[in-house]
Amino acid sequence: MTDKAIRDLFLQDSYQHLVHAVEKIEHCLGQLTVEQVWWRPTAEQNSIGNLVLHICGNVGQWILSGVGGEPDSRDRPLEFSERGPLEIVELSDKLQFMLEDVNVFLASLTGQALEEERLLESFQVQGFETTGLGAITHSVTHFVGHMQEIISLTRMQLGPDYQFNWQPSSEVEGAS
């Protein structure tokens, strides 16, 4: 496998991880009321709404601005201080716009020999020294971690009424 093929596969897989995570988050949002989206287990913890704002801000700063060179307009403190209630459709739109922007950016890197240098280049994001590959990896894993937190907060609130996004249906998938 060539370096170009590995790079392109990394970019495609990174994007697919974000797509999968957004699907799971939207599945949660679809089961909740606006009040539940902005509910906090304690005053020190974040609501699902805050987490959605936070992960969209992180992707924008680390991938689109850090790697992509777009202006960094992130207001990180606002991601956590927002009390809403932004409507669920607004949060869903933010997730979809973020995915669209990342897809366009990563597609621009696929197959571009000159852009390969950007993935290996060292630069700073949020005060951390990283490479383009490192920034993408950081942002995707950060996003998936908060997706799990959103699922947990949804399950905490809905209890037995929580609807799973996927259930194994065959022995190969893990069904008993």
Side-chain angles (χ1 to χ4, degrees), residues 83-100:
R83 294 297 186 259
L86 295 175
E87 294 296 322
I88 292 170
V89 70
E90 291 178 76
L91 295 170
S92 182
D93 285 349
K94 286 183 181 297
L95 288 165
Q96 290 304 318
F97 292 141
M98 176 275 308
L99 268 183
E100 185 178 314

Side-chain angles (χ1 to χ4, degrees), residues 3 5 13 35 137 148 155 174:
D3 288 350
D13 282 352
E35 292 77 21
T137 300
Q148 291 294 345
R155 292 185 70 186

